[in-house]
């Protein structure tokens, strides 16, 4: 009967929820010790200037080598890390490790591009966030100009005034700021007038649809025009095809990042890639 069917449905649904919750709990428990066990590390993906092919940056992306599950991607553990507060220690670790690595590449090979580190809204909201960043720079000896912090519009919108205040402190110290996933937030654009954004990163959901969707083309073109008008550089993320790169270049987008150039690589592979990429950066 329908009633029975409904009951079965409910039971199935509730069992599924229970197993999801259990899975999440077990991931959270594992994540608690992951840093100390050395399972967390950054991979790096190059950012390329159109036209010259110059490497302008390396984005650090967090990875978790889980002893049983294998490689876990951020989508599956960053939300858990944010809800549990673990993102504070994980994020600081990735920041320190990326700065240390960039300094080492600089010293060994003259690497002069920025290292771009993603910052969670939970991290950014901490009162001592800017102090923590300065401390890491002092400890690692990386010049502030060589660090870029990638924040999303959600970071700005959770409190425009305090966010703008922190951005100014970071900007005054020479640290670069990028707005990540640009175009997907709900925010007003007015915050862009309040401080100098060094780079706007066009979200890959738009990049995916160029050059064959006129809507995506129009949005990408408009973001580039606006960004450049505000004095920011504009970078497209998720560039996978030559056709996308050509369209981006035709609308004067400055830079691209994506599988067309390179996938994110561990530090050793990134260093080897730099040496062979005749980019002039190493
Ligand atoms: P994001 O910062 O926007 O990073 C871009 C994502 O696109 C990365 O996914 C990257 O691996 C992927 N990607 C790069 N090139 C291509 C391409 O050509 N095609 C496609 N389809 N994808 C491409 P990933 O590494 O899985 O990271 C996902 C998100 O997790 C990041 O998005 C960022 O929001 C977050 N995340 C990563 N590392 C950290 C971190 O250290 N701290 C924090 N708070 N968040 C992080
Ligand atoms: Mg990013
Ligand atoms: Mg600046
Ligand atoms: Mg992004």
């Amino acid at each position: 009967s329908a009633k029975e069917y409904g009951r079965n449905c409910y039971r199935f649904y509730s069992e599924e929820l229970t197993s999801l919750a259990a899975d999440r709990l077990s991931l959270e428990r594992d994540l608690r010790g992951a840093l100390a066990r050395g399972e967390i590390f950054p991979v790096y993906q190059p950012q390329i200037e159109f036209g010259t092919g110059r490497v302008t940056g390396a984005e650090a992306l967090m990875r978790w080598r889980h002893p049983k599950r294998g490689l876990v991607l951020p989508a599956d553990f960053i939300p858990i890390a944010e809800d549990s507060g673990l993102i504070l220690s994980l994020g600081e670790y990735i920041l320190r490790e990326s700065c240390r690595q960039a300094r080492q590449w600089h010293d060994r090979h003259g690497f002069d591009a920025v290292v771009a580190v993603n910052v969670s809204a939970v991290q950014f909201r901490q009162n001592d966030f800017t102090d923590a960043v300065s401390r890491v720079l002092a400890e690692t000896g990386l010049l502030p100009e060589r660090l870029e912090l990638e924040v999303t519009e959600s970071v700005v919108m959770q409190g425009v005034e305090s966010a703008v205040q922190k951005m100014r402190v970071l900007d005054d110290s020479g640290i670069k700021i990028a707005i990540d996933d640009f175009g997907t937030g709900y925010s007003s654009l007015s915050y862009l007038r309040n401080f100098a954004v060094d780079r706007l990163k066009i979200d890959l959901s738009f990049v995916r649809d160029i050059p064959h969707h006129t809507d995506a083309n129009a949005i990408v073109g408009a973001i580039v025009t606006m960004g450049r008008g505000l004095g920011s550089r504009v970078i497209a993320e998720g560039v996978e095809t030559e056709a996308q790169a050509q369209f981006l270049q035709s609308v004067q987008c400055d830079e691209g990042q994506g599988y067309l150039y390179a996938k994110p690589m561990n530090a050793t592979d990134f260093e080897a890639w730099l040496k062979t990429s005749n980019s002039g950066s190493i």
Side-chain angles (χ1 to χ4, degrees):
S1 73
K3 210 172 172 185
E4 221 165 342
Y5 181 72
R7 197 154 50 226
N8 284 339
C9 249
Y10 171 76
R11 197 175 65 206
F12 174 72
Y13 182 64
S14 115
E15 272 168 11
E16 179 134 301
L17 266 188
T18 308
S19 96
L20 268 180
D23 197 48
R24 200 184 151 102
L25 271 178
S26 101
L27 260 189
E28 183 181 328
R29 193 186 50 230
D30 294 348
L31 192 55
R32 262 175 216 289
L35 199 54
R37 289 190 300 268
E39 294 164 9
I40 301 290
F41 61 99
V43 291
Y44 301 90
Q45 189 180 34
Q47 302 174 322
I48 310 288
E49 186 173 60
F50 292 124
T52 64
R54 190 169 64 95
V55 177
T56 56
E59 179 175 18
L61 295 156
M62 199 186 310
R63 294 291 181 267
W64 178 13
R65 172 93 48 210
H66 189 284
K68 295 218 180 70
R69 296 170 194 254
L71 197 68
V72 188
L73 291 174
D76 292 322
F77 72 92
I78 298 268
I80 297 175
E82 287 178 330
D83 289 348
S84 60
L86 288 167
I87 192 68
L88 295 177
S89 53
L90 296 176
E92 185 163 335
Y93 176 76
I94 294 297
L95 176 68
R96 179 173 293 106
E97 184 56 19
S98 306
C99 290
R100 188 194 63 74
Q101 191 63 74
R103 171 67 202 261
Q104 195 182 78
W105 286 332
H106 172 79
D107 291 350
R108 289 187 185 166
H109 308 289
F111 181 70
D112 61 357
V114 299
V115 67
V117 179
N118 293 283
V119 174
S120 156
V122 178
Q123 281 175 281
F124 194 85
R125 188 164 63 228
Q126 301 298 303
N127 289 328
D128 67 345
F129 176 70
T130 57
D131 292 339
V133 174
S134 311
R135 211 161 45 231
V136 168
L137 286 173
E139 282 167 22
T140 58
L142 185 72
L143 288 177
E145 293 75 18
R146 302 263 160 75
L147 173 63
E148 183 163 271
L149 299 177
E150 294 195 1
V151 301
T152 59
E153 293 175 282
S154 65
V155 158
V156 182
M157 294 324 286
Q158 69 185 6
V160 178
E161 248 173 62
S162 74
V164 165
Q165 161 72 20
K166 280 180 186 148
M167 302 275 191
R168 288 227 174 96
V169 171
L170 295 166
D171 188 42
D172 286 346
S173 70
I175 294 165
K176 311 273 193 236
I177 302 282
I179 305 293
D180 207 348
D181 307 339
F182 189 79
T184 60
Y186 310 97
S187 63
S188 95
L189 297 172
S190 62
Y191 70 90
L192 289 172
R193 303 178 65 184
N194 289 314
F195 57 89
V197 171
D198 294 285
R199 287 204 268 197
L200 287 186
K201 298 194 74 175
I202 304 175
D203 191 66
L204 52 76
S205 60
F206 302 117
V207 177
R208 193 169 46 217
D209 287 344
I210 57 173
H212 302 298
H213 290 63
T214 49
D215 292 357
N217 294 356
I219 290 170
V220 166
I223 293 176
V224 173
T225 304
M226 186 195 67
R228 290 177 61 111
L230 290 166
S232 307
R233 286 175 72 82
V234 182
I235 176 168
E237 60 180 25
V239 181
E240 295 185 358
T241 70
E242 203 57 66
Q244 290 167 338
Q246 268 165 26
F247 175 86
L248 289 161
Q249 211 176 340
S250 77
V251 295
Q252 254 90 60
C253 184
D254 300 286
E255 300 167 21
Q257 175 183 350
Y259 301 160
L260 177 63
Y261 306 106
K263 296 211 161 168
M265 295 166 273
N266 69 32
T268 310
D269 292 347
F270 184 82
E271 193 167 334
W273 180 89
L274 276 172
K275 284 178 186 159
T276 58
S277 72
N278 60 42
S279 62
S281 268
I282 276 200

